[in-house]
Amino acid sequence: MDVLMENFLGLLKADPEMSAAVAAIKMLFKLLEESKAETLTGLLANLNNAKEMMLQSDYSYASINSGCEQFIRHITLANLQDDNYQTIMLHRGKMFLKNILKARPNTVRLTHPFIDDGATILTHSRSRVVVQVFKEAAKEKKRFTVFVTESNPDRSGYQVKQELEEVGIPTTVILDAAIGNVIGTYPLAVCAKQMNKPFYVVAESFKFVRAFPLHQKDVPDDFKYFSSTIRDRQDLSEEHPLTDYTPPGFIDLMFTDLGVLTPSAVSDELIKLYC
C-alpha cells in the first residue's frame, strides 16, 4: 500500500492539472488489474483500503472520496457471482475511467458558450475546469474580463491571473474581503443574488459527493481541513477552513459533463450515481 500511495502522489506531481479524483481512480484500476485476491470480498476490501489510504493525503478529500465511491459502485453493479468477476470488473472499470477522462472537456464544451462577449466575470480561487472554460471562450475570440479573488490562504488567485493573462484574458486580483469573507464561495453567491447577477458552478460529475449538508456546521471536518491538520491538531477551532457551504438557493445553474443542471436536478443525478 505504501507503493500505491507513492504512485498516487507521483501521478499528481507529474501532472498538476490532473484532478485528485482521476488520479485516485487510476490507482484503483491499477490495483484491480494487479489484484491477487482470491475472493470478491478480499478484492473489495483492498480497493476500500486503498481509498482510505489516499484520503490521508492533503489533496481534496471530497474529490477523492466521491471519485473512488463512484468507481467502486460502478464496477460492482450486479452479476458478480461467477468466477469471472474480476474480468467483469476490469471491463466496467475501463469504461468508467474512459468516461471520466472525458468529463472535463465535456464540461468545458457545455459551459463556455454561456460566456457572452463583453462580459465581466467574478470567480473565486482556482479551479482547473473553470480556467479551461475561460481559455476555450478566449479561443472563440470572445472579449471578456475576469476578476478573481486573492483566495487566501493559498493565494491561488495570482496563479489564475498569470494563466489567463498568458492567453490574453484581462484579469484583476481582488482582496477576499472585497466579497465579504476569506473562504469566499458563499458570500460571493450572496453578493451575486443581491446584485441580481447569475451565479454558476462548474464541476465534473466525479466530484459529486454523497452528502446533503444543510448548513456550514454540517460540512464534515474531512472536507474543511487538510488530513495532516486533522491528524496533528487536537483543537481545530483556530484552524483556517478550506471550504464553505453555499446553499443551493443561491445557485442558478451547475455546468457538468452530465449537462447543464439546476440545483434540484443535481439531487436527481446523485440518486442515479449512488442508489
Side-chain angles (χ1 to χ4, degrees), residues 8 12 19-26 63-64 66-68 100 206-207:
F8 169 66
L12 292 168
S19 167
V22 172
I25 291 167
K26 284 187 172 184
S63 181
I64 296 169
S66 59
C68 289
I100 284 300
F206 57 74
K207 297 176 182 174

Side-chain angles (χ1 to χ4, degrees), residues 256-273:
T256 80
D257 51 293
L258 301 177
V260 182
L261 308 174
T262 62
S264 59
V266 172
S267 297
D268 295 336
E269 293 300 329
L270 282 171
I271 293 172
K272 293 177 186 177
L273 288 171

Side-chain angles (χ1 to χ4, degrees), residues 2-271:
D2 288 341
V3 174
L4 181 141
M5 188 65 161
E6 182 179 336
N7 290 338
F8 169 66
L9 298 176
L11 278 177
L12 292 168
K13 184 177 181 180
D15 183 3
E17 292 306 300
M18 183 183 297
S19 167
V22 172
I25 291 167
K26 284 187 172 184
M27 294 313 305
L28 291 186
F29 183 77
K30 182 177 176 63
L31 183 61
L32 181 60
E33 280 186 310
E34 299 175 352
S35 176
K36 298 295 191 295
E38 297 181 357
T39 65
L40 175 59
T41 301
L43 176 54
L44 292 178
N46 289 342
L47 292 174
N48 280 297
N49 288 339
K51 180 193 76 170
E52 293 301 321
M53 176 172 286
M54 289 185 286
L55 285 172
Q56 298 305 308
S57 71
D58 278 343
Y59 287 93
S60 171
Y61 183 98
S63 181
I64 296 169
N65 190 56
S66 59
C68 289
E69 283 201 8
Q70 289 183 38
F71 177 81
I72 293 172
R73 178 186 180 277
H74 185 83
I75 65 173
T76 55
L77 285 173
N79 299 323
L80 290 176
Q81 301 305 315
D82 57 47
D83 294 336
N84 206 30
Y85 64 84
Q86 190 169 353
T87 301
I88 296 172
M89 293 168 74
L90 279 169
H91 174 71
R92 292 175 179 174
K94 185 177 295 184
M95 296 304 297
F96 184 86
L97 184 56
K98 181 179 179 181
N99 290 332
I100 284 300
L101 294 175
K102 295 178 182 176
R104 186 179 300 169
N106 285 344
T107 303
V108 170
R109 176 179 54 81
L110 289 169
T111 308
H112 76 79
F114 281 76
I115 296 180
D116 296 325
D117 198 43
T120 298
I121 302 168
L122 173 62
T123 188
H124 174 62
S125 188
R126 180 182 184 272
S127 160
R128 299 173 184 87
V129 67
V130 170
V131 168
Q132 192 60 42
V133 166
F134 292 148
K135 289 182 177 180
E136 288 299 317
K139 288 181 182 178
E140 298 291 327
K141 307 300 182 183
K142 292 183 179 180
R143 296 166 297 174
F144 59 96
T145 300
V146 173
F147 286 82
V148 58
T149 55
E150 187 178 30
S151 309
N152 280 312
D154 63 8
R155 294 167 62 88
S156 56
Y158 292 99
Q159 182 180 350
V160 174
K161 174 181 172 66
Q162 179 180 345
E163 291 180 79
L164 297 186
E165 290 190 337
E166 285 175 355
V167 296
I169 302 173
T171 306
T172 301
V173 177
I174 65 172
L175 296 175
D176 293 320
I179 61 164
N181 174 294
V182 293
I183 302 174
T185 306
Y186 180 27
L188 190 152
V190 171
C191 291
K193 194 78 168 181
Q194 181 66 27
M195 300 300 292
N196 197 30
K197 301 295 181 182
F199 184 81
Y200 301 138
V201 174
V202 183
E204 304 96 321
S205 61
F206 57 74
K207 297 176 182 174
F208 287 10
V209 179
R210 184 168 54 179
F212 296 88
L214 301 177
H215 187 274
Q216 177 68 22
K217 294 180 180 179
D218 296 333
V219 179
D221 286 343
D222 291 324
F223 289 15
K224 293 193 291 184
Y225 305 101
F226 287 128
S227 293
S228 58
T229 301
I230 295 174
R231 290 194 300 268
D232 297 342
R233 301 283 189 273
Q234 293 286 338
D235 181 9
L236 295 173
S237 62
E238 296 184 3
E239 292 297 322
H240 194 303
L242 303 171
T243 187
D244 59 3
Y245 169 71
T246 302
F250 289 95
I251 299 171
D252 290 279
L253 292 171
M254 188 166 184
F255 296 89
T256 80
D257 51 293
L258 301 177
V260 182
L261 308 174
T262 62
S264 59
V266 172
S267 297
D268 295 336
E269 293 300 329
L270 282 171
I271 293 172

